[in-house]
Amino acid sequence: QVQLVESGGGLVQPGGSLRLSCAASGIYFRINAMGWYRQAPGNERELVATITTGGSANYADPVKGRFTISTDNAKHTVYLQMSGLRPEDTAVYYCNVVVHYIDGDQDYWGQGTQVTVSS
């Protein structure tokens, strides 16, 4: 059974930094991509950043230059280094993994970790 365990969320002041981690277990097929999404109250879930196992990263415009996504492929772990945090970054952050099976791709999601940016 695939499980994603996130950690690293919390309360931080504007301009501060946080590092999120997400460790995936129970995966025995190829991972195509890993990523982070977020959902603020009253909003839809939105892309933050994704990265392929080849290292190609994609960022949402609001976080470009402030956030960095990286992976440890051997450990099936994805990280999100967040710097220059702003109040509008406040949201629940969800880890996502896309696994490739013979009959297609499957998305898996973590339980979410709260990030609050406030003074």
Side-chain angles (χ1 to χ4, degrees), residues 10-73:
L11 173 64
V12 63
Q13 292 186 343
S17 299
L18 280 175
R19 188 191 194 210
L20 305 183
S21 299
C22 172
S25 60
I27 297 177
Y28 302 101
F29 288 80
R30 188 181 78 228
I31 293 177
N32 278 352
M34 304 181 80
W36 292 93
Y37 292 71
R38 67 186 182 186
Q39 187 168 18
N43 291 354
E44 294 185 351
R45 191 173 298 188
E46 62 179 12
L47 168 74
V48 176
T50 60
I51 186 168
T52 66
T53 51
S56 178
N58 176 56
Y59 296 92
D61 286 343
V63 307
K64 284 182 179 177
R66 300 187 297 123
F67 292 8
T68 302
I69 189 170
S70 62
T71 59
D72 183 334
N73 291 331

XYZ file of all heavy atoms in Angstrom, residues 10-73:
476
model
N 4.377 24.385 9.682
C 4.349 25.103 10.936
C 4.040 26.567 10.746
O 3.590 26.993 9.680
N 4.297 27.328 11.797
C 4.058 28.768 11.810
C 5.383 29.493 11.615
O 6.371 29.183 12.298
C 3.422 29.185 13.133
C 3.258 30.691 13.392
C 2.290 31.298 12.383
C 2.792 30.924 14.818
N 5.390 30.442 10.696
C 6.606 31.190 10.425
C 6.248 32.635 10.141
O 5.155 32.930 9.649
C 7.373 30.563 9.234
C 6.567 30.635 7.950
C 8.742 31.185 9.054
N 7.157 33.535 10.461
C 6.919 34.953 10.216
C 7.167 35.281 8.734
O 7.930 34.583 8.057
C 7.834 35.802 11.085
C 7.527 35.726 12.562
C 8.356 36.696 13.386
O 9.365 37.212 12.924
N 7.927 36.956 14.614
N 6.537 36.333 8.253
C 6.808 36.760 6.857
C 8.298 36.960 6.629
O 8.996 37.530 7.470
C 6.029 38.070 6.750
C 4.914 37.920 7.726
C 5.493 37.155 8.890
N 8.755 36.471 5.496
C 10.170 36.529 5.165
C 10.963 35.327 5.629
O 12.132 35.164 5.255
N 10.346 34.489 6.421
C 11.021 33.316 6.964
C 11.079 32.157 5.987
O 10.632 32.260 4.835
N 11.611 31.047 6.479
C 11.812 29.859 5.650
C 11.284 28.612 6.349
O 11.248 28.547 7.587
C 13.299 29.659 5.353
O 13.842 30.748 4.654
N 10.876 27.660 5.534
C 10.485 26.340 6.006
C 10.917 25.318 4.964
O 11.005 25.636 3.767
C 8.974 26.231 6.202
C 8.326 26.800 7.448
C 6.807 26.668 7.355
C 8.841 26.131 8.703
N 11.123 24.086 5.422
C 11.434 22.989 4.498
C 10.447 21.860 4.744
O 10.373 21.326 5.849
C 12.847 22.486 4.703
C 13.295 21.479 3.649
C 14.585 20.820 4.046
N 15.215 20.110 2.943
C 15.973 19.033 3.105
N 16.187 18.535 4.307
N 16.535 18.449 2.051
N 9.697 21.541 3.711
C 8.758 20.429 3.778
C 9.425 19.166 3.223
O 10.210 19.235 2.276
C 7.502 20.729 2.967
C 6.743 22.007 3.309
C 5.474 22.110 2.463
C 6.400 22.077 4.778
N 9.063 18.031 3.818
C 9.545 16.734 3.342
C 8.360 15.801 3.146
O 7.357 15.896 3.858
C 10.508 16.111 4.350
O 11.639 16.918 4.566
N 8.501 14.903 2.203
C 7.463 13.901 1.967
C 8.151 12.602 1.585
O 8.830 12.530 0.553
C 6.521 14.343 0.857
S 5.332 13.082 0.333
N 7.968 11.588 2.417
C 8.567 10.281 2.171
C 7.489 9.314 1.702
O 6.466 9.147 2.375
C 9.230 9.764 3.436
N 7.734 8.689 0.560
C 6.792 7.731 0.001
C 7.279 6.318 0.268
O 8.479 6.033 0.167
C 6.633 7.954 -1.496
N 6.333 5.441 0.614
C 6.677 4.044 0.838
C 5.655 3.161 0.129
O 4.571 3.620 -0.241
C 6.706 3.725 2.329
O 5.446 3.960 2.914
N 6.024 1.893 -0.042
C 5.116 0.952 -0.682
C 5.042 1.100 -2.189
O 4.095 0.624 -2.817
N 6.057 1.747 -2.786
C 6.064 1.947 -4.240
C 7.060 0.992 -4.872
O 8.250 1.041 -4.544
C 6.406 3.397 -4.593
C 5.326 4.334 -4.047
C 6.546 3.570 -6.103
C 5.603 5.804 -4.277
N 6.584 0.164 -5.780
C 7.438 -0.825 -6.420
C 7.443 -0.689 -7.930
O 8.001 -1.535 -8.622
C 6.998 -2.234 -6.001
C 7.038 -2.405 -4.501
C 5.878 -2.340 -3.739
C 8.243 -2.577 -3.837
C 5.912 -2.459 -2.366
C 8.291 -2.707 -2.456
C 7.123 -2.655 -1.730
O 7.156 -2.775 -0.371
N 6.810 0.363 -8.428
C 6.845 0.672 -9.855
C 7.512 2.034 -10.038
O 7.805 2.726 -9.082
C 5.416 0.663 -10.438
C 4.834 -0.705 -10.560
C 4.283 -1.361 -9.458
C 4.826 -1.361 -11.785
C 3.748 -2.629 -9.581
C 4.283 -2.626 -11.915
C 3.756 -3.259 -10.804
N 7.700 2.405 -11.301
C 8.420 3.635 -11.596
C 7.637 4.871 -11.194
O 6.444 4.987 -11.471
C 8.742 3.717 -13.092
C 9.668 4.889 -13.441
C 9.923 4.945 -14.937
N 8.809 5.515 -15.669
C 8.285 4.971 -16.754
N 8.761 3.828 -17.226
N 7.280 5.573 -17.371
N 8.321 5.797 -10.531
C 7.734 7.093 -10.216
C 8.020 8.023 -11.383
O 9.177 8.207 -11.771
C 8.311 7.677 -8.926
C 7.885 6.827 -7.719
C 7.852 9.123 -8.739
C 8.478 7.292 -6.407
N 6.973 8.606 -11.942
C 7.153 9.556 -13.036
C 7.484 10.952 -12.536
O 8.300 11.659 -13.120
C 5.900 9.619 -13.908
C 5.846 8.492 -14.919
O 6.809 7.734 -15.080
N 4.713 8.352 -15.589
N 6.816 11.353 -11.473
C 7.013 12.709 -10.959
C 6.565 12.785 -9.508
O 5.764 11.964 -9.044
C 6.217 13.721 -11.786
N 7.096 13.764 -8.815
C 6.681 14.070 -7.451
C 6.438 15.570 -7.379
O 7.012 16.338 -8.168
C 7.745 13.648 -6.441
C 8.128 12.183 -6.538
S 9.353 11.666 -5.321
C 8.307 11.443 -3.869
N 5.603 15.984 -6.450
C 5.329 17.410 -6.403
C 4.608 17.851 -5.155
O 4.309 17.046 -4.269
N 4.368 19.145 -5.109
C 3.649 19.775 -4.002
C 2.524 20.635 -4.547
O 2.703 21.362 -5.537
C 4.602 20.651 -3.174
C 5.634 19.873 -2.434
C 6.892 19.563 -2.850
C 5.480 19.283 -1.131
N 7.535 18.817 -1.901
C 6.691 18.643 -0.829
C 4.450 19.249 -0.196
C 6.897 17.966 0.378
C 4.650 18.590 0.990
C 5.868 17.957 1.273
N 1.395 20.540 -3.886
C 0.239 21.372 -4.171
C -0.190 22.022 -2.871
O 0.224 21.586 -1.803
C -0.907 20.531 -4.746
C -0.624 19.976 -6.127
C 0.308 18.962 -6.312
C -1.290 20.463 -7.249
C 0.582 18.463 -7.574
C -1.032 19.961 -8.523
C -0.092 18.966 -8.665
O 0.176 18.471 -9.924
N -1.018 23.038 -2.957
C -1.504 23.682 -1.737
C -2.943 24.115 -1.904
O -3.416 24.340 -3.021
C -0.629 24.875 -1.362
C -0.692 26.047 -2.331
C 0.330 27.113 -1.942
N 0.268 28.284 -2.832
C 1.134 29.294 -2.778
N 2.131 29.279 -1.892
N 1.014 30.305 -3.610
N -3.616 24.228 -0.768
C -5.006 24.661 -0.762
C -5.238 25.587 0.409
O -5.079 25.187 1.570
C -5.946 23.454 -0.694
C -7.406 23.813 -0.858
C -8.277 22.588 -1.069
O -7.884 21.458 -0.788
N -9.479 22.804 -1.585
N -5.598 26.812 0.098
C -5.949 27.789 1.125
C -7.461 27.749 1.354
O -8.210 27.321 0.466
C -5.512 29.184 0.678
N -7.923 28.183 2.519
C -9.372 28.167 2.806
C -10.158 28.909 1.734
O -9.813 30.036 1.370
C -9.454 28.867 4.159
C -8.137 28.617 4.796
C -7.141 28.655 3.674
N -11.192 28.257 1.225
C -12.037 28.866 0.220
C -11.501 28.795 -1.194
O -12.170 29.251 -2.127
N -10.304 28.238 -1.346
C -9.691 28.145 -2.684
C -9.594 26.696 -3.132
O -9.651 25.764 -2.316
C -8.297 28.760 -2.668
C -8.332 30.262 -2.490
O -9.395 30.872 -2.479
N -7.162 30.855 -2.345
N -9.390 26.514 -4.426
C -9.143 25.183 -4.944
C -7.677 24.819 -4.728
O -6.817 25.679 -4.538
C -9.475 25.135 -6.440
C -10.949 25.340 -6.752
C -11.258 25.176 -8.222
O -10.310 25.067 -9.013
O -12.450 25.176 -8.575
N -7.419 23.508 -4.771
C -6.043 23.048 -4.674
C -5.283 23.508 -5.915
O -5.781 23.393 -7.029
C -5.990 21.539 -4.546
C -4.630 20.974 -4.188
C -4.679 19.489 -3.915
N -5.529 19.181 -2.769
C -5.618 17.961 -2.238
N -4.923 16.959 -2.748
N -6.412 17.751 -1.209
N -4.061 24.008 -5.698
C -3.286 24.522 -6.811
C -1.866 23.974 -6.789
O -1.327 23.621 -5.750
C -3.224 26.061 -6.757
C -2.545 26.620 -5.526
C -2.487 28.142 -5.520
O -3.151 28.788 -6.348
O -1.753 28.687 -4.663
N -1.286 23.943 -7.977
C 0.081 23.475 -8.129
C 1.045 24.445 -7.463
O 0.899 25.669 -7.593
C 0.418 23.361 -9.620
C 1.892 23.163 -9.979
C 2.311 21.735 -9.650
C 2.143 23.478 -11.430
N 2.033 23.895 -6.770
C 3.146 24.699 -6.264
C 4.392 24.402 -7.091
O 4.994 25.303 -7.684
C 3.421 24.416 -4.773
C 4.636 25.201 -4.299
C 2.199 24.757 -3.925
N 4.770 23.127 -7.129
C 5.954 22.734 -7.882
C 5.919 21.236 -8.118
O 5.392 20.483 -7.292
C 7.238 23.114 -7.144
N 6.484 20.826 -9.245
C 6.636 19.404 -9.537
C 8.043 19.158 -10.052
O 8.723 20.084 -10.528
C 5.627 18.918 -10.596
O 5.841 19.647 -11.814
C 4.187 19.117 -10.133
N 8.456 17.899 -9.964
C 9.776 17.529 -10.456
C 9.727 16.094 -10.954
O 9.120 15.231 -10.318
C 10.853 17.712 -9.366
C 12.258 17.466 -9.939
C 10.580 16.828 -8.156
C 13.371 17.915 -8.997
N 10.333 15.858 -12.111
C 10.380 14.499 -12.637
C 11.571 13.766 -12.033
O 12.462 14.379 -11.438
C 10.543 14.526 -14.167
O 11.826 15.071 -14.498
C 9.447 15.375 -14.812
N 11.588 12.458 -12.206
C 12.717 11.698 -11.685
C 14.003 12.049 -12.428
O 15.098 11.816 -11.920
C 12.453 10.191 -11.790
O 12.039 9.888 -13.128
C 11.348 9.777 -10.833
N 13.866 12.665 -13.590
C 15.042 13.133 -14.318
C 15.540 14.479 -13.849
O 16.592 14.957 -14.316
N 14.792 15.092 -12.926
C 15.234 16.352 -12.346
C 14.663 17.610 -12.975
O 15.053 18.720 -12.618
N 13.723 17.455 -13.877
C 13.110 18.621 -14.508
C 12.037 19.188 -13.597
O 11.057 18.516 -13.273
C 12.503 18.222 -15.850
O 11.870 19.318 -16.461
N 12.212 20.439 -13.176
C 11.306 21.064 -12.215
C 10.407 22.094 -12.890
O 10.797 22.744 -13.863
C 12.096 21.723 -11.096
N 9.210 22.225 -12.316
C 8.237 23.198 -12.798
C 7.638 23.903 -11.598
O 7.294 23.244 -10.612
C 7.138 22.476 -13.588
C 6.048 23.421 -14.042
O 6.315 24.402 -14.720
N 4.813 23.132 -13.662
N 7.552 25.233 -11.664
C 7.057 26.015 -10.541
C 5.875 26.888 -10.956
O 5.830 27.413 -12.069
C 8.154 26.936 -9.996
C 9.340 26.215 -9.422
C 10.446 25.923 -10.208
C 9.360 25.824 -8.085
C 11.544 25.258 -9.695
C 10.456 25.162 -7.553
C 11.535 24.884 -8.365
O 12.618 24.222 -7.834
N 4.955 27.066 -10.035
C 3.896 28.042 -10.239
C 4.500 29.437 -10.166
O 5.454 29.683 -9.415
C 2.822 27.873 -9.170
N 3.952 30.354 -10.934
C 4.518 31.701 -10.995
C 4.655 32.374 -9.630
O 5.667 33.041 -9.363
C 3.678 32.583 -11.929
C 3.893 32.249 -13.393
O 4.901 31.592 -13.714
O 3.050 32.645 -14.222
N 3.674 32.248 -8.718
C 3.788 32.964 -7.433
C 4.973 32.518 -6.570
O 5.361 33.248 -5.655
C 2.463 32.651 -6.734
C 1.520 32.324 -7.833
C 2.351 31.615 -8.844
N 5.538 31.340 -6.835
C 6.606 30.838 -5.966
C 7.961 30.817 -6.653
O 8.977 30.503 -6.021
C 6.277 29.430 -5.427
C 4.896 29.429 -4.770
C 6.376 28.364 -6.495
N 8.010 31.143 -7.926
C 9.280 31.129 -8.650
C 10.287 32.064 -7.998
O 9.983 33.195 -7.654
C 9.052 31.539 -10.104
C 8.425 30.460 -10.962
C 8.263 30.911 -12.405
C 7.649 29.810 -13.250
N 7.407 30.248 -14.657
N 11.485 31.557 -7.821
C 12.539 32.346 -7.208
C 12.551 32.306 -5.696
O 13.506 32.788 -5.073
N 11.497 31.745 -5.097
C 11.420 31.666 -3.634
C 11.421 30.226 -3.137
O 11.929 29.946 -2.049
C 10.158 32.365 -3.132
C 10.080 33.844 -3.488
C 8.885 34.512 -2.803
N 7.613 33.960 -3.235
C 6.708 33.433 -2.402
N 6.948 33.370 -1.103
N 5.558 32.955 -2.875
N 10.823 29.336 -3.900
C 10.719 27.933 -3.499
C 11.623 27.072 -4.385
O 11.793 27.363 -5.572
C 9.290 27.425 -3.642
C 8.298 28.023 -2.686
C 8.617 29.091 -1.858
C 7.010 27.503 -2.611
C 7.690 29.643 -0.976
C 6.072 28.025 -1.744
C 6.407 29.098 -0.939
N 12.142 25.993 -3.798
C 12.961 25.042 -4.554
C 12.506 23.627 -4.236
O 12.454 23.242 -3.060
C 14.445 25.189 -4.218
O 14.875 26.528 -4.494
C 15.279 24.224 -5.047
N 12.216 22.861 -5.273
C 11.815 21.469 -5.100
C 13.002 20.576 -5.432
O 13.788 20.877 -6.340
C 10.594 21.123 -5.977
C 10.040 19.741 -5.620
C 10.924 21.230 -7.467
C 8.697 19.430 -6.270
N 13.141 19.499 -4.671
C 14.227 18.555 -4.914
C 13.786 17.172 -4.469
O 12.776 17.029 -3.761
C 15.503 18.972 -4.181
O 15.295 18.994 -2.780
N 14.529 16.163 -4.880
C 14.180 14.794 -4.516
C 15.415 14.005 -4.116
O 16.548 14.346 -4.482
C 13.512 14.050 -5.693
O 14.414 14.032 -6.809
C 12.212 14.702 -6.096
N 15.162 12.965 -3.343
C 16.126 11.901 -3.121
C 15.456 10.654 -3.697
O 14.628 10.027 -3.040
C 16.419 11.746 -1.635
C 17.487 10.674 -1.373
O 17.642 9.749 -2.192
O 18.147 10.767 -0.327
N 15.784 10.346 -4.950
C 15.069 9.272 -5.638
C 15.261 7.922 -4.964
O 14.344 7.091 -4.937
C 15.509 9.201 -7.102
C 15.044 10.399 -7.911
O 14.011 10.990 -7.611
N 15.799 10.761 -8.927
